Amino acid sequence: MTAFPLDPRALTNDVSSEPIRAGFGRGLLAAGELDERVVALCADLTDSTQMHLFKDRFPRRFVQVGVAEQNLVTVASGMARAGKIPFTSSYAAFSPGRNWEQFKTTAALNDQPVTIVGSHAGINVGPDGATHQMLEDIALMRVIPNTRVIAPADSIEAEKATRALASDPGPSYIRLARDATPVFTTADSPFEIGKAYVLRSGTDISIITTGTMTYQGLLAAEILADRGLSAEVVHVPTIKPLDEETILNSIRKTRYAATIEEAQIAGGLGSAVAELASLRCPIPIDRFGMKDRFGESGTPAKLLEVFRLTGPQLADDIEQCVRERTAAASLAAPTEVADALAH
Amino acid sequence: MITRESVVHSDEDLKRIAGTIRRDIISMLAAAKSGHSAGPLGMAELLAVLYFHSMLHDPQNPDWDKRDVFYLSNGHTAPVLYAAMARAGYFPVDELQTLRQFGSRLQGHPERLALPGLESTSGPLGSGLSQAAGYAYVLQEIDQVNQRWVYTIMGDGEINEGNVWEAAMFAGKYALGNLIAFIDRNNIQIDGSTEDVMPLRDLRGKWESFDWHVLEIDGNNVRSIIDAIGLAKAVTAKPTMIIANTVPGKGVPFMEYNHRWHGMPPTSEQADIALLALEGATAP
């Protein structure tokens, strides 16, 4: 297996940062240059969802629909039927928050290549508070058949994912974030719809992550290594369709998984991994993310800390979970993890 | 070759076709033992005119790139659409008897992937006008194609949905002159009269205030429908809303004007009575 290229500054203080949505804006522009069927629709958030780049370059292919998210995806469905490849953007809280049925019926069931671009997902929305912090979107979209769900980890990956969606059109949801987050992948890092990537190899535990939490998962793995726990980090940018083999290869080796997502743990990535594992590799899994509660106002950094979604906190919590599970299990049968912890 | 002229049928033919569609609706629903009766019966003339007069389309080539486009927004009235499509030659008339059965291409509500010739999948209310507007937008504003029109039919109860008014603003703003929409104004919805459930009151005024060209017609009169479509095409600077006043359950005396027949099929005995009434109504 070839190593997944990470920016050499990825885990240093020199790592650069940029909002994931900025990569989407560049990706859409590039997709528009490549294929004139690509069109963009926005519900009155053109700049903040980064569609202005496309709008300025292709004004005739940009459609302002106003604050009307139900119309946003249904107009897009009609445009798709007329031969276009529509990207529709708003805040994730409103789209898919307000147009889930319209997407399900007129895009997914109707098999039209409409992409919902949910900007401002997760608690990193910050001061706007709980109403604007979309945490349920992965669960909502993952249950719709014929729908792809993608949560890029940084702006570089978001650009690649956007271009990939445009060149392989189908009903899709892509999840973006408002706040600037570390840019740790590179232009050479691979991205394919439906593929998960091992960013760091390990033998004791699997840390399985998506979106903004992949970076925090890498930080946690680094800290755990110092404590004698070898963590493999599996980045899952495509939550649906799930790259089952890459995940199974990791958990068959480590026999333990911690999943991390900036979303409700009910129905999200952690649930997807648990569903897979329960059938094909039953192992203990701890799920980290938003645990059945709403967010609130605060700076993104403060909120990540409050909800224990920073790398150091995750390292502590994962280690504790592993110790507790090991203590319980080692009474019966010592495991490799117990051996590692014993040293 | 199919041309605008070649699809045109005479008014007398259209009336006869509407009668045939009504008999198909009754026999389909009786065989299916579930489904909606009143709306489809009331819309028979609208579908007859669209599929046998006004729309350019080719049943042998459903995705023909010169076709006019029709979105059935109130998908629960599928029987009237299926009957019109079968009679137009999209699929064998015998297949109408498979409505709502397992494995049928005639799903309880229309599914595009199941049946060639459908433009979309519909049933959940309020989304057809938006899709029609999206299609019309592409033709008018992006591809700049003339001489293709996009049609949709909504129910009057359906326009309780907020999605409809989002689309109303959108089509008005972009002055989609190639968009021709109908409201099947039959005054009933599931729970009763439209004016009791959620009053629509001044429908003309509502749509005019959204910058639509509005016409009100007798929706059970084929000549009125043809003339309204002609007027709609003549007004190129605005989308047109044709408020088609129809009789729910039209042609079947015990169903007419009765909201209880909105979502109910006839029993086989009721179907026999209904077919007799419809035979009489369309006898020469």
Side-chain angles (χ1 to χ4, degrees):
Chain A
M1 186 177 64
T2 53
F4 184 98
L6 293 177
D7 189 297
R9 297 165 299 173
L11 299 176
T12 72
N13 290 333
D14 295 332
V15 66
S16 64
S17 64
E18 184 185 41
I20 289 174
R21 59 198 161 109
F24 159 72
R26 289 193 295 271
L28 187 65
L29 180 64
E33 299 279 4
L34 283 172
D35 191 336
E36 65 176 18
R37 295 174 301 168
V38 172
V39 296
L41 300 84
C42 192
D44 196 28
L45 291 164
T46 309
D47 287 350
S48 56
T49 64
Q50 302 288 301
M51 265 192 175
H52 60 281
L53 296 176
F54 185 96
K55 176 192 172 187
D56 292 345
R57 177 73 182 83
F58 306 110
R60 206 163 91 186
R61 286 151 57 190
F62 171 80
V63 188
Q64 174 61 266
V65 303
V67 194
E69 295 81 15
Q70 299 176 80
N71 202 42
L72 179 72
V73 296
T74 45
V75 166
S77 170
M79 294 180 76
R81 180 64 182 152
K84 304 304 177 189
I85 302 170
F87 284 76
T88 68
S89 78
S90 180
Y91 290 175
F94 318 135
S95 179
R98 284 206 165 173
N99 52 22
W100 182 88
E101 182 281 317
Q102 281 85 355
F103 178 86
K104 175 195 150 188
T105 305
T106 76
L109 176 59
N110 192 29
D111 196 29
Q112 293 295 355
V114 174
T115 293
I116 290 184
V117 180
S119 182
H120 292 52
I123 53 166
N124 73 75
V125 167
D128 277 347
T131 58
H132 284 50
Q133 293 163 353
M134 184 44 143
L135 300 167
E136 297 78 22
D137 51 338
I138 297 175
L140 279 176
M141 301 310 282
R142 190 170 79 77
V143 295
I144 304 177
N146 193 30
T147 298
R148 301 175 299 188
V149 179
I150 295 177
D154 69 6
S155 58
I156 292 177
E157 192 171 63
E159 184 172 342
K160 291 175 191 159
T162 305
R163 294 177 63 159
L165 287 169
S167 63
D168 180 18
S172 305
Y173 174 57
I174 181 168
R175 175 179 220 251
L176 309 175
R178 170 186 177 274
D179 194 33
T181 50
V183 180
F184 61 99
T185 71
T186 72
D188 296 329
S189 306
F191 176 86
E192 257 183 76
I193 295 170
K195 287 268 190 268
Y197 299 99
V198 175
L199 304 194
R200 174 193 176 107
S201 294
T203 52
D204 296 333
I205 68 173
S206 298
I207 295 179
I208 304 175
T209 60
T210 193
T212 51
M213 286 297 112
T214 290
Y215 185 75
Q216 302 302 329
L218 277 172
L219 290 180
E222 189 83 356
I223 294 165
L224 289 169
D226 290 342
R227 301 179 189 172
L229 264 181
S230 168
E232 181 148 296
V233 177
V234 183
H235 169 46
V236 186
T238 305
I239 297 154
K240 186 177 186 177
L242 195 66
D243 182 349
E244 300 186 345
E245 291 315 311
T246 298
I247 292 169
L248 287 169
N249 283 342
S250 180
I251 63 177
R252 279 178 181 142
K253 176 174 60 178
T254 62
R255 311 300 298 176
Y256 170 83
T259 63
I260 319 172
E261 58 203 303
E262 197 184 330
Q264 300 291 357
I265 59 169
L269 170 70
S271 293
V273 171
E275 289 160 16
L276 170 69
S278 71
L279 281 175
R280 297 182 59 189
C281 180
I283 53 155
I285 298 174
D286 289 303
R287 293 174 295 146
F288 298 91
M290 293 297 283
K291 297 180 174 170
D292 198 26
R293 60 155 294 176
F294 295 113
E296 61 185 89
S297 289
T299 64
K302 177 69 184 172
L303 293 173
L304 286 180
E305 190 189 314
V306 166
F307 295 108
R308 301 194 62 77
L309 293 173
T310 68
Q313 291 170 309
L314 287 160
D316 289 348
D317 294 352
I318 290 170
E319 185 184 11
Q320 186 181 342
C321 285
V322 170
R323 285 189 188 284
E324 285 170 4
R325 286 185 181 277
T326 306
S330 64
L331 295 175
T335 64
E336 287 173 28
V337 174
D339 295 343
L341 285 170
H343 291 142
Chain B
M1 194 182 112
I2 291 179
T3 64
R4 293 223 168 260
E5 291 68 37
S6 71
V7 296
V8 168
H9 289 68
S10 71
D11 290 14
E12 287 312 308
D13 278 350
L14 292 169
K15 289 178 197 170
R16 187 176 46 73
I17 291 164
T20 304
I21 289 173
R22 284 201 170 90
R23 292 193 295 278
D24 287 340
I25 291 167
I26 292 296
S27 65
M28 292 165 81
L29 287 168
K33 298 188 174 66
S34 76
H36 298 74
S37 299
L41 288 168
M43 289 160 56
E45 282 82 7
L46 290 175
L47 273 290
V49 169
L50 287 173
Y51 278 83
F52 293 89
H53 185 280
S54 298
M55 287 205 305
L56 184 63
H57 66 114
D58 180 0
Q60 305 309 313
N61 183 11
D63 290 333
W64 185 28
D65 64 6
K66 293 188 169 50
R67 74 189 187 283
D68 292 330
V69 171
F70 172 64
Y71 282 92
L72 183 74
S73 189
N74 51 344
H76 61 273
T77 63
V80 68
L81 173 60
Y82 293 150
M85 287 174 68
R87 293 293 169 182
Y90 280 88
F91 57 87
V93 170
D94 288 350
E95 199 172 336
L96 291 175
Q97 300 305 313
T98 69
L99 174 71
R100 287 176 169 252
Q101 290 174 19
F102 182 77
S104 173
R105 298 196 292 177
L106 311 187
Q107 292 289 293
H109 294 79
E111 283 191 31
R112 184 179 76 84
L113 296 188
L115 186 65
L118 295 176
E119 298 290 356
S120 187
T121 294
S122 60
L125 297 173
S127 298
L129 186 61
S130 295
Q131 292 172 77
Y135 204 117
Y137 185 95
V138 168
L139 294 180
Q140 179 175 300
E141 301 293 320
I142 300 180
D143 293 351
Q144 301 182 340
V145 171
N146 293 321
Q147 301 297 312
R148 286 184 70 192
W149 282 271
V150 183
Y151 297 87
T152 186
I153 299 179
M154 298 180 282
D156 51 0
E158 177 176 9
I159 67 175
N160 293 174
E161 291 279 4
N163 197 164
V164 171
W165 301 100
E166 295 182 359
M169 277 187 279
F170 178 88
K173 172 187 173 181
Y174 292 107
L176 300 175
N178 55 353
L179 175 61
I180 302 174
F182 294 87
I183 292 172
D184 174 36
R185 184 67 170 122
N186 67 11
N187 299 291
I188 63 161
Q189 56 194 102
I190 294 181
D191 274 359
S193 141
T194 56
E195 300 314 291
D196 287 338
V197 175
M198 189 51 66
L200 299 173
R201 299 204 174 102
D202 180 15
L203 265 188
R204 169 187 283 275
K206 284 183 168 70
W207 289 90
E208 282 179 346
S209 74
F210 284 88
D211 284 324
W212 284 65
H213 168 225
V214 183
L215 299 167
E216 281 183 85
I217 64 167
D218 174 353
N220 292 126
N221 181 315
V222 296
R223 180 42 50 185
S224 301
I225 300 166
I226 292 166
D227 289 346
I229 290 172
L231 268 172
K233 289 182 176 179
V235 175
T236 56
K238 289 183 177 187
T240 292
M241 177 57 69
I242 300 172
I243 300 168
N245 291 289
T246 64
V247 174
K250 173 78 175 175
V252 179
F254 62 88
M255 291 184 180
E256 287 186 356
Y257 301 104
N258 185 344
H259 76 86
R260 296 188 189 287
W261 284 99
H262 170 96
M264 204 162 62
T267 63
S268 60
E269 294 76 19
Q270 288 168 330
D272 290 342
I273 300 167
L275 288 171
L276 273 177
L278 289 166
E279 295 286 350
T282 49

